[in-house]
Amino acid sequence: MNNFELYNPTNYVFGKGQTEKLSKLIPANAKILLVYGGGSIFKNGIYDQVKTALKDFEIIEFGGVEPNPRFETLLKAVEIVKNQNITFILAVGGGSVIDGVKFISGATNYEGNPIEILKKKVLFTDVSKVIPFGTVLTLPATGSEMNSGAVVTIEATQEKLTLGGSALFPKFSIVDPTVIVSLPKRQLQNGVIDAFTHVMEQYLTYPHDAILQDRFAESILQTLIEVGPNVVENPTDYKLASSFVWCTTMALNGLIQKGVPSDWATHMIGHELTALYEIDHARTLAIIGPNLYKVMFETKKDKLAQYGERVWNIQANTEVENPIDEIALRAIEKTIAFFHKMGMVTKLSEVVANHLGTADFIVNRFEERGWKALGEKQNITPEKVREIVEMSY
């Protein structure tokens, strides 16, 4: 197992009716910027719950944070924080709103051009230089409620870039599984696949000696396979909802990544598809992931076989010449079938008509950024990226 440090200061407040605790979780006399997205919180009752819980606080509202939050929009919120002397930010929404708040938190006191935060992947490590924030999760998927990373889109250049750092953990996150009742089926499907692929990025690399980490990851994958299709159809089932929501958090709260290699190339490529074509994030992962596993088969096949045996219960066929290869290939097919079952498409042509040239565009962009190789072994070269994307057409 590799050396690691595990630090996660987020107070994770899970369960029914936990929004009532807001007034005790936010510092007394705080001046709050309430940040949300397109207005769904007005329809599902979350807005009223939050406002009731914070009736004794001074609140300024900032709505309209987009799915895949825009840098340009978030700069407007930064100005409000500065001009209104905001002392605490509350994100009420899904991963996009929470990611946006992380950017606002770091950008408010950033000394320099805020676009550098994204272009240079700035890490915020000094808590005294960021605005503290908490979250009320309304759309489980990204794990942003319990990690310190974020992804923001620069609309002007069609780039989707990351930021983070230990100072950008939420002070608290309220996670009530009952909120998923009001979500559209598409968003629930996305949440399952987003969490599933988060685990795969940290798990599906190569064999190592982090035995417990593998078991953690495999249990999350098995749970998502078990509850995913059912929770989409029965979001009122609290047993299903609570397991699903906890999986999405555990998939990316940092625990399963400690001490092990990780990949993240599926995400890096998928981000470009979202930035170019506005494809839902989870759906880009479903398009790219299986084809990345195929292109990088030789370096991933041992872990693919382990995944096939432990997660999908695929039994080795001792009569074939290469049983490991067979299990690994069947594991990829099982994954694709699961994605289809969860309402995903796995080809770019199914969602974008004029997709030819996408591979060249992505490769050129990566080269412009100086990204010479991706993946757990830094062996996903620009040519491999091209092959992955073209296979995804």
Side-chain angles (χ1 to χ4, degrees):
M1 189 181 295
N2 300 333
N3 295 351
F4 67 88
E5 294 183 14
L6 176 58
Y7 172 75
N8 194 317
T10 300
N11 180 12
Y12 190 81
V13 186
F14 181 92
K16 299 177 182 178
Q18 297 286 44
T19 305
E20 297 174 359
K21 296 182 178 178
L22 263 177
S23 62
K24 297 179 180 179
L25 294 168
I26 295 177
N29 302 316
K31 187 173 183 180
I32 302 169
L33 181 69
L34 175 61
V35 181
Y36 48 85
S40 63
I41 63 170
F42 294 99
K43 300 175 184 177
N44 59 22
I46 301 300
Y47 176 83
D48 291 335
Q49 292 177 31
V50 169
K51 290 299 292 276
T52 298
L54 298 179
K55 62 184 186 330
D56 296 326
F57 288 81
E58 183 178 0
I59 299 174
I60 294 174
E61 298 184 20
F62 183 85
V65 175
E66 307 90 348
N68 306 302
R70 301 301 197 268
F71 167 77
E72 293 84 353
T73 299
L74 300 176
L75 286 183
K76 298 174 184 177
V78 170
E79 289 305 307
I80 293 174
V81 174
K82 291 178 178 179
N83 295 335
Q84 297 292 332
N85 297 315
I86 297 294
T87 61
F88 195 90
I89 310 173
L90 182 64
V92 182
S96 292
V97 172
I98 299 171
D99 281 10
V101 163
K102 289 175 183 177
F103 178 86
I104 297 165
S105 171
T108 297
N109 296 321
Y110 182 72
E111 297 177 358
N113 187 335
I115 204 167
E116 296 173 353
I117 296 171
L118 301 173
K119 293 287 191 178
K120 297 182 179 181
K121 293 187 178 181
V122 170
L123 293 177
F124 293 89
T125 57
D126 187 344
V127 294
S128 69
K129 294 184 178 181
V130 303
I131 307 299
F133 66 95
T135 87
V136 177
L137 184 69
T138 65
L139 200 168
T142 70
S144 193
E145 68 276 5
M146 202 179 180
N147 66 45
S148 62
V151 185
V152 170
T153 297
I154 304 173
E155 188 168 19
T157 57
Q158 291 185 299
E159 293 179 277
K160 190 173 179 182
L161 302 172
T162 60
L163 69 144
S166 58
L168 292 183
F169 281 100
K171 295 296 183 184
F172 65 83
S173 285
I174 292 176
V175 182
D176 182 345
T178 64
V179 302
I180 74 166
V181 171
S182 63
L183 295 176
K185 181 181 290 189
R186 183 184 183 93
Q187 290 183 331
L188 291 172
Q189 293 170 331
N190 286 351
V192 172
I193 299 307
D194 200 359
F196 193 93
T197 311
H198 286 158
V199 178
M200 294 288 271
E201 295 276 39
Q202 300 162 92
Y203 168 77
L204 195 63
T205 55
Y206 52 83
H208 47 71
D209 59 357
I211 299 171
L212 182 59
Q213 295 301 79
D214 275 359
R215 295 297 189 189
F216 281 149
E218 289 157 0
S219 68
I220 298 170
L221 294 172
Q222 289 174 318
T223 304
L224 288 168
I225 291 166
E226 179 181 343
V227 307
N230 294 324
V231 78
V232 168
E233 300 299 330
N234 303 290
T236 59
D237 186 320
Y238 189 75
K239 178 182 177 180
L240 296 173
S242 56
S243 293
F244 161 55
V245 171
W246 184 222
C247 277
T248 64
T249 298
M250 284 294 293
L252 201 58
N253 67 356
L255 177 62
I256 65 172
Q257 190 171 13
K258 300 305 178 183
V260 302
S262 58
D263 187 344
W264 297 111
T266 296
H267 271 68
M268 303 310 291
I269 300 170
H271 286 334
E272 298 303 317
L273 296 183
T274 297
L276 283 170
Y277 302 122
E278 292 289 335
I279 305 170
D280 298 4
H281 171 61
R283 290 164 195 268
T284 71
L285 303 179
I287 290 168
I288 295 297
N291 295 300
L292 184 145
Y293 309 151
K294 292 176 183 178
V295 171
M296 304 309 298
F297 185 80
E298 286 304 313
T299 58
K300 287 184 179 287
K301 67 180 181 181
D302 290 333
K303 202 60 179 286
L304 274 165
Q306 177 181 311
Y307 160 69
E309 289 178 326
R310 293 187 181 181
V311 175
W312 291 108
N313 299 313
I314 299 172
Q315 302 299 312
N317 183 353
T318 56
E319 296 181 0
V320 300
E321 183 177 353
N322 296 304
I324 295 296
D325 288 27
E326 189 209 21
I327 296 172
L329 289 169
R330 288 175 63 192
I332 296 174
E333 293 308 311
K334 284 280 191 179
T335 305
I336 294 171
F338 176 62
F339 288 175
H340 289 164
K341 187 175 184 179
M342 290 305 307
M344 301 291 116
V345 300
T346 50
K347 292 295 180 183
L348 185 59
S349 56
E350 296 180 79
V351 287
V352 177
N354 299 317
H355 58 277
L356 299 180
T358 302
D360 288 337
F361 183 90
I362 292 175
V363 168
N364 290 339
R365 175 160 278 179
F366 283 4
E367 290 177 336
E368 288 170 2
R369 294 178 189 152
W371 296 359
K372 297 180 180 179
L374 306 173
E376 69 272 13
K377 291 187 175 182
Q378 292 293 285
N379 59 351
I380 303 180
T381 62
E383 285 309 309
K384 291 292 186 183
V385 171
R386 179 178 282 106
E387 187 177 352
I388 291 164
V389 176
E390 288 180 346
M391 187 179 287
S392 302
Y393 285 173

